[in-house]
Amino acid sequence: MTGKRDDSTIRVTYRLEIPALPGASLEKMAEKIASDQSTGTFTELPGETEEVRARCAARVVAVQPLESTDQPGFPRPEDPPGTHYLRGDVTIAFPLEAVGTDIAALMTITVGGVYSARGLSGVRVMDFDLPSAWACHPGPQFGIAGSRRLMDVAQGPMIASIIKPSLGLTPADTAQVVRELCEAGVDFIKDDEKLMSPGYSPLADRVAAIMPVIEDHQQKTGKRVLYAFGISSADPDVMMRNHDLVHAAGGAAAVVNINSVGYGGMSFLRKRSALCLHAHRNGWDILTRNPALGMEFRAYQKIWRLLGVDQFQVNGIAAKYWEPDDSFVRSFGDCLTPIFSEADCALPVVCSGQWGGQAPETFRRTGGRLDLMYLGGGGIHGHPMGARAGVTAIRQAWEAAEAGIALADYAGTRPELAASLARFAR
Amino acid sequence: MTGKRDDSTIRVTYRLEIPALPGASLEKMAEKIASDQSTGTFTELPGETEEVRARCAARVVAVQPLESTDQPGFPRPEDPPGTHYLRGDVTIAFPLEAVGTDIAALMTITVGGVYSARGLSGVRVMDFDLPSAWACHPGPQFGIAGSRRLMDVAQGPMIASIIKPSLGLTPADTAQVVRELCEAGVDFIKDDEKLMSPGYSPLADRVAAIMPVIEDHQQKTGKRVLYAFGISSADPDVMMRNHDLVHAAGGAAAVVNINSVGYGGMSFLRKRSALCLHAHRNGWDILTRNPALGMEFRAYQKIWRLLGVDQFQVNGIAAKYWEPDDSFVRSFGDCLTPIFSEADCALPVVCSGQWGGQAPETFRRTGGRLDLMYLGGGGIHGHPMGARAGVTAIRQAWEAAEAGIALADYAGTRPELAASLARFAR
C-alpha cells in the first residue's frame, strides 16, 4: 500500500531486475512497461491522440532501487560474462477507466503482459493497491467470524485434521477415519486436496458415508465438527453439482483448489455458494520459489479473497514443503490484513508437518494473534497414544504458547504432549 | 509421448533439478514425488493397506539424466559453495483411477503438489501423456478447418490484424480502424487482448459500432471479415453475456485471455459457445522464461486445447517480446500435433512484431506448413503506403516464402513489399 488510497487508479508494485548494460535503467524499463501495457505499440500510429494518452496511459509513480545482484532471475546467455543486474521496486498507476473492476482485465493488463516484456532478468508482482470501486467483489462469505460460528469456537485456534492417506481410501474407510477424528476432538476435518471425486471414492458416496458420522457425533456430544469436502472441478457446472450435493446432505464447508479451478471457477461458485470455502493454493509455489520471479503471496491472496476465499492454507513453521518460515509468517499476516474492511480477511490455516511443537514459534512470530486454524495430519494420526492424544497434545501446545511456558516444562504433567515431543521433535 | 498409449495411467514428464549432495539421486526424488502425490504422508499410518497402494500409487516409469549444472533454477542459499545440480527428465505414471478425467484433479495431483516439493532446485512440467478416457473433453469447436471456413480462406496463411492503440479508442474510433483494415484486405481482426469492456469502450457499444462495418464490407465486396471481440471476464456469467451479445449481433469469434479466466471460465464458455475462440496466453511467460521452472508450452497447450481453444497465439520469429525463436518454433509444432485426432489441433497464430519479413524464416523453420494465422499490428498500421499496402506486403512475403524466392528479389516489382523492407527490416 502506498499511503492514502487513490480512487482513480490501480497501483501495482513490481520487483524488476534488468541487466546493467550501458544506458539501461529501472526508470526506463518501468516507463516502457507502463507504455506497452496501456497505449503503446512498436511503431507510430496516426490515430493516437493526446486525449487518449491522458485518459488511459499508465504512469510510473515510484522507483525504489534495491541492491544489485550478479545472479539473474532468468538465465540470460546473451549477456556478457560478469554482467550485473539492477533490481528495484517499481510502482505503476493504471487508470481505473482503462482497467475497470474485472479481475481478468487486471490480470491481463497489469500482470500477464508484464511477464512477457523483453529485457528483464526478473519480474515479480509484489502488491496490488486497489481503489474503492474494487470493493464491488463479493469477498469471503464466512471469513474468520463465520468460520468460528460454524465450528462453535469462540476464541483461540481452531484445531483441524485431514484424511490420510491422501488417495486410495474407500468412502467407508474414510468415514471410519472421520469417526476417529471426531472422537479425538477436532473442530474441523478436510479431504486431502488431492481427493475430489475419483472412481474409487465418488464425492456422492463419500458425503453419504461421512455426514451420518458428523451427525451422529453431534447427537452424542453436542459438538458439530465442520467437514470440508473436496468439490473442485475445472467444470463450474460439475463443481456446483458437487457443492449442492454437500449442502443438501447438511455439509457446510468445501476444499477448493483455487489454481486448479481458476478465477472463473471460483467466481461462479462464490456467487451461488452456501458453503465455507477452504482454499488450497497448490500450484502457487512455482510463482514464489524463485524470489526474482512470479507473484508475492500478498498480491495473490488479495485477488482470491476478493473472489470469496474464507480460509486460506498458508503452510507453517518447519513445514514439510520447501517454503521457508519467513514466507509463512508474511502470508499469515497478509490474510489478516484488511483490503477494504475486516470482513474481507481470510482465516489463515497453518498446516504441513504440524504437530503442536511449532505452536510457540508460530505464536511468537505472528504477533500472538489466535485467529487461525491449526491443521495436523500425521501429527494426529501418528501420535503414539492415538489420535485423541494427538489432538490433546496440540491443544496443550497452544496453551503453553499462549501462557509463555516452554513445551518441555508444560509437558511435565501432560503425557500427550510429552509423547508428541518424544515422537516428533527434531 | 512415451510410445504406445497406456490407457490405465496418466504419464507426466518433469524436468527435475536437485543439489548433488551425498546420497541424492533423481531416482530417489522421483520416488518421493510419486509417493507424496498419491498415497504418502510423513509418518506411518495404521490404516494404509497394500491394496490401496496397488490401486492408487503413482510409479516412476523413466529417469533420463541430463547434463548437470552449477546454476540452480531456484536460489538455494542453504547449499555449500560449489554445489552442483543434477538434472534429468523423469516420467511418473499416475493411475487413471486415482486422478480421473477432471482437469482440476490433474493439475492438483500431478502439477500443483510437485511444485511445492522440498529439495528441488528446479522443476518443470514437460508433457502430459493422456489416456483415451481424456478424449471426453470437448476440444476445439472450430479448430483449423472451422477457422478456414469462417474466413473463407481455403488454403495458405490467414492474414490478420489487431486494433491499435491497445487501450483508449472510443467505439466509433475503433470502428473507423476496422473499416480501414477491412478495406486493406485482412481475413481476421481482433481486439487487443488488453481490451475487454472498460468504461470508455463497453463491449456492447463496440459490437454495435463494429458489426455494421463488417456487414457493410461484406455487402460491398462479398468478403466477410472475422472479428474477434475481447469477451474475457473472470466472472463466467459476465463472459457468457459478452458471448451472447457478440453472437446476437452476428459476430463469430472472441479473444479469450485464458489464464485470466482460468480453467473454470474456459470450460463454462466452451460448453455454451457458438464463437470461434482465439486464445491469448498472457501470463504464461512466467512459467517458461526460466527453463528450469514452470511448464513447457507442449504440456500447457494440450490442456487448453482439450478445453476448447480454436486458435492459439504463439508469438513468432523475432517477436517483440522476450521469447526466443526456438521456443516459438516448438510451440507452432505443438499446436499442430494431434492429442487424440487432427480435430483437436489448434490454429497457430503467429504474432508480435510481425510485418512479413519473418515469413521465409517462419516457413522454413515450421516445415512449410501453411495452416497458420499471421497477425500484423504496427506492420500493417504503420506501413508507409498505408494499411492496404501493409496487408499486400505481408501476402507478397508469404508468396515469396512459399516460392523460395528471396524477399529482396520478390520486392523488385512489388512496391508494397519493397516499402516494408525499407521501413521494418533490421
Side-chain angles (χ1 to χ4, degrees), chain B residues 164-213:
Chain B
K164 292 283 177 185
S166 314
L167 299 182
L169 281 183
T170 61
D173 287 344
T174 307
Q176 181 52 36
V177 178
V178 173
R179 185 175 301 279
E180 288 162 21
L181 288 170
C182 285
E183 289 169 359
V186 298
D187 302 309
F188 179 95
I189 308 173
K190 68 181 279 288
D191 283 337
D192 188 278
E193 78 278 2
K194 291 186 282 299
L195 184 59
M196 284 156 265
S197 197
Y200 67 86
S201 182
L203 179 65
D205 297 355
R206 208 157 70 246
V207 170
I210 289 170
M211 285 312 298
V213 175

Short mmCIF file of all heavy atoms in Angstrom, two decimals, chain B residues 164-213:
data_model
loop_
_atom_site.label_atom_id
_atom_site.label_comp_id
_atom_site.label_asym_id
_atom_site.label_seq_id
_atom_site.Cartn_x
_atom_site.Cartn_y
_atom_site.Cartn_z
N LYS B 164 -5.10 -1.06 -32.86
CA LYS B 164 -4.14 -0.29 -32.08
C LYS B 164 -4.59 1.15 -32.09
O LYS B 164 -5.15 1.58 -33.09
CB LYS B 164 -2.72 -0.40 -32.69
CG LYS B 164 -2.11 -1.77 -32.60
CD LYS B 164 -1.59 -2.05 -31.22
CE LYS B 164 -1.02 -3.47 -31.12
NZ LYS B 164 -0.62 -3.84 -29.76
N PRO B 165 -4.34 1.97 -31.06
CA PRO B 165 -3.66 1.58 -29.84
C PRO B 165 -4.48 0.58 -29.02
O PRO B 165 -5.67 0.46 -29.19
CB PRO B 165 -3.50 2.90 -29.08
CG PRO B 165 -4.57 3.78 -29.62
CD PRO B 165 -4.76 3.38 -31.04
N SER B 166 -3.76 -0.11 -28.14
CA SER B 166 -4.38 -1.17 -27.34
C SER B 166 -5.56 -0.66 -26.55
O SER B 166 -6.62 -1.26 -26.53
CB SER B 166 -3.37 -1.74 -26.35
OG SER B 166 -2.14 -1.98 -26.96
N LEU B 167 -5.35 0.45 -25.87
CA LEU B 167 -6.38 0.98 -24.98
C LEU B 167 -6.60 2.45 -25.29
O LEU B 167 -5.69 3.16 -25.68
CB LEU B 167 -5.93 0.85 -23.51
CG LEU B 167 -5.66 -0.56 -22.99
CD1 LEU B 167 -5.26 -0.51 -21.52
CD2 LEU B 167 -6.87 -1.46 -23.17
N GLY B 168 -7.84 2.88 -25.16
CA GLY B 168 -8.12 4.32 -25.23
C GLY B 168 -8.93 4.77 -26.43
O GLY B 168 -9.31 5.93 -26.48
N LEU B 169 -9.21 3.93 -27.41
CA LEU B 169 -10.04 4.34 -28.54
C LEU B 169 -11.51 4.20 -28.17
O LEU B 169 -11.92 3.21 -27.57
CB LEU B 169 -9.77 3.43 -29.75
CG LEU B 169 -8.54 3.67 -30.61
CD1 LEU B 169 -8.54 2.71 -31.79
CD2 LEU B 169 -8.47 5.11 -31.11
N THR B 170 -12.31 5.17 -28.59
CA THR B 170 -13.76 5.05 -28.40
C THR B 170 -14.30 4.02 -29.40
O THR B 170 -13.64 3.71 -30.40
CB THR B 170 -14.44 6.39 -28.68
OG1 THR B 170 -14.16 6.74 -30.05
CG2 THR B 170 -13.93 7.48 -27.76
N PRO B 171 -15.49 3.51 -29.17
CA PRO B 171 -16.06 2.55 -30.13
C PRO B 171 -16.12 3.13 -31.55
O PRO B 171 -15.82 2.42 -32.52
CB PRO B 171 -17.46 2.29 -29.56
CG PRO B 171 -17.27 2.44 -28.08
CD PRO B 171 -16.30 3.58 -27.93
N ALA B 172 -16.48 4.39 -31.69
CA ALA B 172 -16.57 4.98 -33.03
C ALA B 172 -15.19 5.02 -33.69
O ALA B 172 -15.04 4.69 -34.88
CB ALA B 172 -17.16 6.38 -32.96
N ASP B 173 -14.17 5.41 -32.93
CA ASP B 173 -12.80 5.41 -33.48
C ASP B 173 -12.35 4.00 -33.84
O ASP B 173 -11.69 3.77 -34.85
CB ASP B 173 -11.82 5.99 -32.45
CG ASP B 173 -11.97 7.50 -32.30
OD1 ASP B 173 -12.60 8.13 -33.19
OD2 ASP B 173 -11.48 8.04 -31.29
N THR B 174 -12.71 3.05 -33.00
CA THR B 174 -12.35 1.66 -33.27
C THR B 174 -12.98 1.20 -34.58
O THR B 174 -12.32 0.57 -35.41
CB THR B 174 -12.82 0.75 -32.11
OG1 THR B 174 -12.33 1.26 -30.88
CG2 THR B 174 -12.32 -0.67 -32.30
N ALA B 175 -14.25 1.53 -34.76
CA ALA B 175 -14.96 1.12 -35.99
C ALA B 175 -14.28 1.71 -37.22
O ALA B 175 -14.22 1.06 -38.29
CB ALA B 175 -16.42 1.55 -35.92
N GLN B 176 -13.74 2.91 -37.08
CA GLN B 176 -13.03 3.53 -38.21
C GLN B 176 -11.76 2.72 -38.55
O GLN B 176 -11.46 2.49 -39.72
CB GLN B 176 -12.69 4.99 -37.85
CG GLN B 176 -11.97 5.76 -38.94
CD GLN B 176 -12.71 5.69 -40.29
OE1 GLN B 176 -13.94 5.68 -40.34
NE2 GLN B 176 -11.96 5.58 -41.39
N VAL B 177 -11.05 2.28 -37.50
CA VAL B 177 -9.85 1.45 -37.74
C VAL B 177 -10.28 0.12 -38.39
O VAL B 177 -9.61 -0.38 -39.30
CB VAL B 177 -9.09 1.19 -36.42
CG1 VAL B 177 -7.89 0.27 -36.67
CG2 VAL B 177 -8.64 2.49 -35.78
N VAL B 178 -11.40 -0.44 -37.93
CA VAL B 178 -11.90 -1.69 -38.51
C VAL B 178 -12.19 -1.51 -40.00
O VAL B 178 -11.83 -2.35 -40.83
CB VAL B 178 -13.15 -2.18 -37.75
CG1 VAL B 178 -13.78 -3.39 -38.46
CG2 VAL B 178 -12.81 -2.53 -36.31
N ARG B 179 -12.83 -0.39 -40.33
CA ARG B 179 -13.14 -0.13 -41.74
C ARG B 179 -11.85 -0.10 -42.58
O ARG B 179 -11.77 -0.72 -43.64
CB ARG B 179 -13.90 1.19 -41.88
CG ARG B 179 -14.36 1.49 -43.31
CD ARG B 179 -15.21 2.76 -43.40
NE ARG B 179 -16.41 2.71 -42.58
CZ ARG B 179 -17.56 2.08 -42.94
NH1 ARG B 179 -17.64 1.46 -44.11
NH2 ARG B 179 -18.60 2.11 -42.13
N GLU B 180 -10.84 0.59 -42.06
CA GLU B 180 -9.56 0.66 -42.79
C GLU B 180 -8.95 -0.73 -42.98
O GLU B 180 -8.44 -1.04 -44.05
CB GLU B 180 -8.56 1.55 -42.03
CG GLU B 180 -8.90 3.03 -42.11
CD GLU B 180 -8.19 3.85 -41.03
OE1 GLU B 180 -7.16 3.37 -40.49
OE2 GLU B 180 -8.68 4.94 -40.70
N LEU B 181 -9.04 -1.54 -41.92
CA LEU B 181 -8.44 -2.87 -42.01
C LEU B 181 -9.24 -3.77 -42.95
O LEU B 181 -8.65 -4.57 -43.69
CB LEU B 181 -8.34 -3.50 -40.62
CG LEU B 181 -7.26 -2.88 -39.71
CD1 LEU B 181 -7.39 -3.40 -38.27
CD2 LEU B 181 -5.85 -3.17 -40.23
N CYS B 182 -10.55 -3.67 -42.94
CA CYS B 182 -11.37 -4.44 -43.89
C CYS B 182 -10.99 -4.05 -45.32
O CYS B 182 -10.76 -4.91 -46.18
CB CYS B 182 -12.86 -4.16 -43.68
SG CYS B 182 -13.56 -4.97 -42.22
N GLU B 183 -10.92 -2.77 -45.55
CA GLU B 183 -10.58 -2.30 -46.89
C GLU B 183 -9.15 -2.68 -47.28
O GLU B 183 -8.83 -2.83 -48.46
CB GLU B 183 -10.78 -0.78 -46.99
CG GLU B 183 -12.27 -0.43 -46.97
CD GLU B 183 -12.55 1.06 -46.78
OE1 GLU B 183 -11.59 1.84 -46.65
OE2 GLU B 183 -13.76 1.41 -46.76
N ALA B 184 -8.32 -2.86 -46.26
CA ALA B 184 -6.93 -3.26 -46.53
C ALA B 184 -6.84 -4.73 -46.94
O ALA B 184 -5.80 -5.17 -47.43
CB ALA B 184 -6.08 -3.01 -45.28
N GLY B 185 -7.92 -5.47 -46.70
CA GLY B 185 -7.94 -6.85 -47.20
C GLY B 185 -7.56 -7.94 -46.21
O GLY B 185 -7.16 -9.04 -46.63
N VAL B 186 -7.71 -7.69 -44.91
CA VAL B 186 -7.39 -8.75 -43.94
C VAL B 186 -8.52 -9.77 -43.87
O VAL B 186 -9.66 -9.50 -44.28
CB VAL B 186 -7.13 -8.18 -42.52
CG1 VAL B 186 -5.94 -7.23 -42.53
CG2 VAL B 186 -8.37 -7.51 -41.97
N ASP B 187 -8.17 -10.96 -43.36
CA ASP B 187 -9.17 -12.01 -43.16
C ASP B 187 -9.77 -11.98 -41.75
O ASP B 187 -10.85 -12.51 -41.52
CB ASP B 187 -8.51 -13.39 -43.37
CG ASP B 187 -7.90 -13.53 -44.75
OD1 ASP B 187 -8.61 -13.24 -45.74
OD2 ASP B 187 -6.70 -13.88 -44.84
N PHE B 188 -9.03 -11.39 -40.84
CA PHE B 188 -9.36 -11.51 -39.41
C PHE B 188 -8.88 -10.24 -38.71
O PHE B 188 -7.80 -9.74 -39.01
CB PHE B 188 -8.64 -12.75 -38.86
CG PHE B 188 -8.83 -13.04 -37.40
CD1 PHE B 188 -9.81 -13.94 -36.99
CD2 PHE B 188 -8.03 -12.46 -36.43
CE1 PHE B 188 -9.98 -14.25 -35.64
CE2 PHE B 188 -8.19 -12.76 -35.08
CZ PHE B 188 -9.17 -13.67 -34.69
N ILE B 189 -9.69 -9.76 -37.79
CA ILE B 189 -9.29 -8.61 -36.97
C ILE B 189 -9.63 -8.96 -35.52
O ILE B 189 -10.64 -9.61 -35.26
CB ILE B 189 -10.04 -7.32 -37.35
CG1 ILE B 189 -9.93 -7.05 -38.86
CG2 ILE B 189 -9.50 -6.12 -36.56
CD1 ILE B 189 -10.80 -5.88 -39.35
N LYS B 190 -8.81 -8.49 -34.62
CA LYS B 190 -9.10 -8.76 -33.21
C LYS B 190 -8.90 -7.54 -32.35
O LYS B 190 -8.04 -6.68 -32.63
CB LYS B 190 -8.24 -9.91 -32.68
CG LYS B 190 -6.76 -9.59 -32.57
CD LYS B 190 -5.95 -10.78 -32.06
CE LYS B 190 -6.01 -10.93 -30.55
NZ LYS B 190 -5.25 -9.89 -29.83
N ASP B 191 -9.67 -7.48 -31.27
CA ASP B 191 -9.38 -6.54 -30.20
C ASP B 191 -8.02 -6.88 -29.63
O ASP B 191 -7.64 -8.06 -29.54
CB ASP B 191 -10.43 -6.68 -29.07
CG ASP B 191 -11.76 -6.03 -29.41
OD1 ASP B 191 -11.82 -5.13 -30.27
OD2 ASP B 191 -12.78 -6.43 -28.78
N ASP B 192 -7.28 -5.86 -29.20
CA ASP B 192 -6.09 -6.12 -28.40
C ASP B 192 -6.54 -6.93 -27.18
O ASP B 192 -7.64 -6.72 -26.66
CB ASP B 192 -5.46 -4.80 -27.95
CG ASP B 192 -4.12 -5.01 -27.28
OD1 ASP B 192 -4.10 -5.33 -26.06
OD2 ASP B 192 -3.10 -4.88 -27.96
N GLU B 193 -5.68 -7.84 -26.73
CA GLU B 193 -6.09 -8.69 -25.60
C GLU B 193 -6.36 -7.86 -24.35
O GLU B 193 -7.09 -8.30 -23.46
CB GLU B 193 -5.04 -9.77 -25.31
CG GLU B 193 -3.80 -9.31 -24.56
CD GLU B 193 -2.77 -8.65 -25.47
OE1 GLU B 193 -3.03 -8.52 -26.69
OE2 GLU B 193 -1.70 -8.26 -24.95
N LYS B 194 -5.77 -6.67 -24.29
CA LYS B 194 -5.97 -5.83 -23.10
C LYS B 194 -7.33 -5.13 -23.11
O LYS B 194 -7.74 -4.55 -22.11
CB LYS B 194 -4.84 -4.79 -23.00
CG LYS B 194 -3.49 -5.42 -22.68
CD LYS B 194 -2.40 -4.40 -22.44
CE LYS B 194 -1.84 -3.80 -23.71
NZ LYS B 194 -1.21 -4.76 -24.64
N LEU B 195 -8.02 -5.20 -24.25
CA LEU B 195 -9.33 -4.53 -24.35
C LEU B 195 -10.45 -5.53 -24.10
O LEU B 195 -10.62 -6.50 -24.86
CB LEU B 195 -9.47 -3.90 -25.75
CG LEU B 195 -10.75 -3.08 -25.97
CD1 LEU B 195 -10.84 -1.93 -24.97
CD2 LEU B 195 -10.79 -2.54 -27.39
N MET B 196 -11.20 -5.30 -23.05
CA MET B 196 -12.35 -6.15 -22.75
C MET B 196 -13.60 -5.27 -22.73
O MET B 196 -14.14 -4.95 -23.78
CB MET B 196 -12.10 -6.94 -21.47
CG MET B 196 -11.12 -8.10 -21.75
SD MET B 196 -10.19 -8.72 -20.31
CE MET B 196 -8.68 -7.74 -20.49
N SER B 197 -13.96 -4.75 -21.56
CA SER B 197 -15.14 -3.90 -21.55
C SER B 197 -14.97 -2.74 -20.57
O SER B 197 -15.73 -2.60 -19.61
CB SER B 197 -16.38 -4.74 -21.18
OG SER B 197 -17.56 -4.04 -21.53
N PRO B 198 -13.99 -1.87 -20.85
CA PRO B 198 -13.76 -0.74 -19.94
C PRO B 198 -14.82 0.34 -20.15
O PRO B 198 -15.55 0.31 -21.15
CB PRO B 198 -12.38 -0.23 -20.36
CG PRO B 198 -12.30 -0.56 -21.82
CD PRO B 198 -13.05 -1.86 -21.98
N GLY B 199 -14.87 1.30 -19.23
CA GLY B 199 -15.89 2.34 -19.26
C GLY B 199 -15.91 3.14 -20.56
O GLY B 199 -16.98 3.48 -21.07
N TYR B 200 -14.75 3.40 -21.15
CA TYR B 200 -14.71 4.25 -22.36
C TYR B 200 -15.05 3.45 -23.62
O TYR B 200 -15.22 4.04 -24.69
CB TYR B 200 -13.34 4.91 -22.50
CG TYR B 200 -12.24 3.92 -22.78
CD1 TYR B 200 -11.96 3.50 -24.06
CD2 TYR B 200 -11.51 3.36 -21.73
CE1 TYR B 200 -10.98 2.56 -24.31
CE2 TYR B 200 -10.54 2.41 -21.97
CZ TYR B 200 -10.28 2.02 -23.25
OH TYR B 200 -9.33 1.08 -23.50
N SER B 201 -15.10 2.11 -23.51
CA SER B 201 -15.44 1.29 -24.68
C SER B 201 -16.15 0.02 -24.22
O SER B 201 -15.62 -1.09 -24.36
CB SER B 201 -14.17 0.94 -25.48
OG SER B 201 -14.50 0.18 -26.64
N PRO B 202 -17.36 0.17 -23.69
CA PRO B 202 -18.10 -1.03 -23.24
C PRO B 202 -18.28 -1.98 -24.43
O PRO B 202 -18.48 -1.53 -25.56
CB PRO B 202 -19.45 -0.47 -22.78
CG PRO B 202 -19.23 1.00 -22.57
CD PRO B 202 -18.16 1.40 -23.53
N LEU B 203 -18.21 -3.27 -24.15
CA LEU B 203 -18.28 -4.24 -25.24
C LEU B 203 -19.53 -4.05 -26.10
O LEU B 203 -19.48 -4.12 -27.33
CB LEU B 203 -18.23 -5.66 -24.67
CG LEU B 203 -18.34 -6.78 -25.72
CD1 LEU B 203 -17.14 -6.78 -26.66
CD2 LEU B 203 -18.48 -8.14 -25.04
N ALA B 204 -20.67 -3.79 -25.45
CA ALA B 204 -21.93 -3.65 -26.20
C ALA B 204 -21.82 -2.52 -27.22
O ALA B 204 -22.26 -2.65 -28.37
CB ALA B 204 -23.08 -3.39 -25.24
N ASP B 205 -21.22 -1.42 -26.81
CA ASP B 205 -21.09 -0.28 -27.72
C ASP B 205 -20.11 -0.59 -28.85
O ASP B 205 -20.30 -0.18 -29.99
CB ASP B 205 -20.59 0.96 -26.96
CG ASP B 205 -21.59 1.43 -25.90
OD1 ASP B 205 -22.70 0.85 -25.83
OD2 ASP B 205 -21.26 2.36 -25.14
N ARG B 206 -19.06 -1.33 -28.50
CA ARG B 206 -18.05 -1.66 -29.51
C ARG B 206 -18.65 -2.61 -30.56
O ARG B 206 -18.44 -2.43 -31.75
CB ARG B 206 -16.84 -2.30 -28.83
CG ARG B 206 -15.55 -2.08 -29.58
CD ARG B 206 -14.35 -2.21 -28.65
NE ARG B 206 -14.09 -3.57 -28.20
CZ ARG B 206 -14.20 -3.99 -26.94
NH1 ARG B 206 -14.56 -3.16 -25.98
NH2 ARG B 206 -13.92 -5.23 -26.63
N VAL B 207 -19.39 -3.60 -30.08
CA VAL B 207 -20.05 -4.53 -31.01
C VAL B 207 -21.01 -3.76 -31.92
O VAL B 207 -21.03 -3.95 -33.14
CB VAL B 207 -20.80 -5.63 -30.23
CG1 VAL B 207 -21.69 -6.46 -31.17
CG2 VAL B 207 -19.81 -6.54 -29.50
N ALA B 208 -21.78 -2.86 -31.31
CA ALA B 208 -22.76 -2.08 -32.08
C ALA B 208 -22.08 -1.20 -33.12
O ALA B 208 -22.64 -0.93 -34.19
CB ALA B 208 -23.61 -1.24 -31.13
N ALA B 209 -20.88 -0.75 -32.82
CA ALA B 209 -20.17 0.12 -33.78
C ALA B 209 -19.46 -0.68 -34.86
O ALA B 209 -19.38 -0.23 -36.02
CB ALA B 209 -19.17 1.00 -33.02
N ILE B 210 -18.95 -1.84 -34.51
CA ILE B 210 -18.09 -2.60 -35.43
C ILE B 210 -18.88 -3.51 -36.36
O ILE B 210 -18.58 -3.61 -37.56
CB ILE B 210 -17.04 -3.41 -34.63
CG1 ILE B 210 -16.00 -2.45 -34.03
CG2 ILE B 210 -16.37 -4.46 -35.53
CD1 ILE B 210 -15.07 -3.09 -33.04
N MET B 211 -19.88 -4.20 -35.85
CA MET B 211 -20.55 -5.22 -36.69
C MET B 211 -21.16 -4.63 -37.97
O MET B 211 -21.06 -5.26 -39.04
CB MET B 211 -21.55 -6.04 -35.88
CG MET B 211 -20.91 -7.08 -34.95
SD MET B 211 -19.62 -8.13 -35.72
CE MET B 211 -20.57 -8.99 -37.00
N PRO B 212 -21.75 -3.43 -37.91
CA PRO B 212 -22.25 -2.84 -39.17
C PRO B 212 -21.13 -2.61 -40.21
O PRO B 212 -21.39 -2.72 -41.41
CB PRO B 212 -22.87 -1.51 -38.73
CG PRO B 212 -23.23 -1.72 -37.29
CD PRO B 212 -22.15 -2.62 -36.75
N VAL B 213 -19.94 -2.33 -39.73
CA VAL B 213 -18.81 -2.14 -40.66
C VAL B 213 -18.47 -3.47 -41.34
O VAL B 213 -18.24 -3.52 -42.56
CB VAL B 213 -17.58 -1.58 -39.91
CG1 VAL B 213 -16.37 -1.51 -40.84
CG2 VAL B 213 -17.89 -0.23 -39.29
#
